Amino acid sequence: MRDTVFPMRSGNLSIAAFFNQPAEWKESVLGAHCYSADTVDCRAQADMEIPCIHVPVQRLDPGDSICEVWRGSGQLTQGQCGAIHYRHDDSVLFGVMALSEKMFAADGDKTPLQQATESAYRQVFKLLDTLRYPYLLRFWNYIADINSHSFGLERYRQFNLGRQDAFLAHGRDVTGNVPAACALGSAQGPLTVGFLVGRVAPLNIENPRQISAYEYPQQYGPRSPTFSRATLVRHGGDEVLFVSGTASIVGHASMHPTDVVAQTRETMANIKAVLDEANRIASRPGFDLSSLHYKVYVRNPADLEQIRTELTQCVGDMLTAVYLQADVCRQELLLEIEATGTHTLASLSGQQD
Ligand code: 3EB
């Protein structure tokens, strides 16, 4: 069954439509990610206090640049703390930040990107301690030139070092109890991080087809990535599922290095496996491929139609997806897909099994 109301996630709007919404609507918004290859100062244009961040990536499918909007309930409170802009209601907090690596000199054995990442995550954890939103639900990470090498290490691996150090410095778990996330490459721009955190502990979900990312072997870098395959969170009378960026990885190995169709199928098999896990541990099963909202990151724009055809075949005509050009964190991976889903416990409990 399709949701009429999606808790938290208010959906995608064109950037222009976002700016032109009435004031009362803007007051109910926690924040937004604006995806556009053009330079847009989303905050200035929307006269805004709304925490929103510009992610410098191109949309590939027809349509305007888009804002992914997150919505709160009841009275919202906003603030700024260091580089973070945030808004929260009583149960969830949405924050965004952009940090330029230029503010960090190569220092001792830490690269500028590693330091920027560590600083970003330390700022987040400090804010969460202060405002008492202890639980990490979902992080979005956008990194310029993610696959290029500097200081003898691929930049994605530098990012992983900084991220894990911040988790450790704040006494947070780096295995098991870690957020859903994605990490994508843009052509340029500062390190850009968005996050959703809450006051109710989520369930962390792993994929039986894959080794947990936090247990990837050393061949993928000196520190493992700190994310889980999905998180499932109770939010009022709903359950919300955040499926992390998912790629054509089985075990820990990248599959089908040059075959974008096979990579799309493998990726969807992984998302299906994560959904099966979610349904196993959810209060009620009910997540299925056709009820998720997808964001598809495509490395090579020329692959768009093949990916879209394959995805439609896996999901059906109800597919709701947005396609963005971005680099994926391993050179051989041609796409990464993330998804969000929800179901309303109240309406499910009224149905027959
Ligand atoms: C993978 O499965 C693909 O470093 O936060 C997916 C989701 C990926 C999140 C991250 C990386 C991240 O390893 C890459």
Side-chain angles (χ1 to χ4, degrees):
M1 189 177 97
R2 265 190 115 59
D3 305 294
T4 47
V5 178
F6 196 113
M8 288 199 253
R9 186 183 179 284
S10 166
N12 295 326
L13 281 180
S14 76
I15 292 179
F18 179 55
F19 295 151
N20 290 328
Q21 292 296 314
E24 317 88 79
W25 183 89
K26 285 181 181 165
E27 276 163 25
S28 73
V29 166
L30 285 173
H33 300 130
C34 298
Y35 297 94
S36 169
D38 303 327
T39 323
V40 276
D41 183 346
C42 13
R43 214 180 331 260
Q45 289 199 43
D47 43 332
M48 285 216 275
E49 292 128 22
I50 301 179
C52 59
I53 198 122
H54 171 229
V55 182
V57 299
Q58 174 82 48
R59 181 170 178 186
L60 293 174
D61 50 326
D64 291 325
S65 303
I66 49 139
C67 281
E68 180 183 82
V69 179
W70 297 85
R71 194 183 57 207
S73 54
Q75 183 71 40
L76 305 188
T77 303
Q78 67 198 26
Q80 197 184 336
C81 181
I84 302 173
H85 289 261
Y86 64 86
R87 253 190 196 180
H88 65 78
D89 61 20
D90 285 342
S91 59
V92 290
L93 179 149
F94 176 87
V96 291
M97 66 198 306
L99 272 191
S100 169
E101 291 164 52
K102 295 190 193 93
M103 301 188 338
F104 302 88
D107 155 37
D109 52 1
K110 292 185 177 178
T111 73
L113 175 60
Q114 179 182 348
Q115 289 177 68
T117 308
E118 185 176 339
S119 168
Y121 276 81
R122 279 176 176 263
Q123 289 185 44
V124 172
F125 295 149
K126 202 170 136 228
L127 178 71
L128 307 193
D129 288 348
T130 306
L131 297 182
R132 290 176 298 105
Y133 289 82
Y135 299 107
L136 310 179
L137 307 178
R138 178 66 161 96
F139 278 74
W140 292 261
N141 304 288
Y142 300 97
I143 303 155
D145 288 323
I146 195 168
N147 299 127
S148 71
H149 290 247
S150 63
F151 304 96
L153 194 61
E154 189 192 23
R155 283 168 52 80
Y156 174 60
R157 299 175 182 200
Q158 298 175 28
F159 165 84
N160 278 321
L161 274 163
R163 174 168 58 178
Q164 201 191 80
D165 277 341
F167 273 75
L168 293 170
H170 279 259
R172 288 188 170 266
D173 294 340
V174 294
T175 61
N177 177 28
V178 291
C182 59
L184 283 307
S186 55
Q188 27 88 46
L191 171 68
T192 301
V193 178
F195 56 95
L196 265 171
V197 295
R199 286 190 166 144
V200 176
L203 296 171
N204 298 96
I205 296 170
E206 290 302 307
N207 178 351
R209 303 180 83 233
Q210 298 182 311
I211 288 176
S212 295
Y214 47 76
E215 282 167 358
Y216 282 166
Q218 285 261 326
Q219 73 194 85
Y220 301 102
R223 298 290 186 77
S224 301
T226 309
F227 71 94
S228 55
R229 299 300 179 185
T231 52
L232 179 65
V233 62
R234 185 78 180 257
H235 183 71
D238 304 302
E239 274 181 320
V240 182
L241 178 68
F242 298 98
V243 179
S244 289
T246 305
S248 175
I249 295 174
V250 176
H252 58 71
S254 305
M255 307 298 284
H256 326 295
T258 56
D259 183 342
V260 73
V261 170
Q263 282 202 17
T264 308
R265 278 192 203 130
E266 202 73 75
T267 300
M268 292 311 292
N270 280 329
I271 291 181
K272 179 70 170 60
V274 169
L275 278 191
D276 289 345
E277 282 296 289
N279 284 327
R280 203 169 56 77
I281 66 167
S283 299
R284 303 264 312 189
F287 292 109
D288 66 75
L289 287 178
S290 68
S291 64
L292 299 183
H293 293 87
Y294 297 90
K295 200 185 295 156
V296 184
Y297 298 99
V298 177
R299 183 186 287 278
N300 302 316
D303 291 339
L304 173 66
E305 280 319 315
Q306 278 180 291
I307 293 172
R308 189 165 31 188
T309 303
E310 202 51 45
L311 198 57
T312 309
Q313 226 156 65
C314 290
V315 174
D317 290 336
M318 295 288 272
L319 173 67
T320 54
V322 164
Y323 300 82
L324 301 168
Q325 194 284 318
D327 296 334
V328 184
C329 65
R330 294 183 191 177
Q331 194 72 61
E332 67 279 10
L333 294 174
L334 301 171
L335 72 148
E336 182 173 307
I337 303 180
E338 63 180 50
T340 312
T342 193
H343 56 219
T344 303
L345 296 172
S347 82
L348 279 175
S349 62
Q351 290 172 6
Q352 294 297 307
D353 279 337

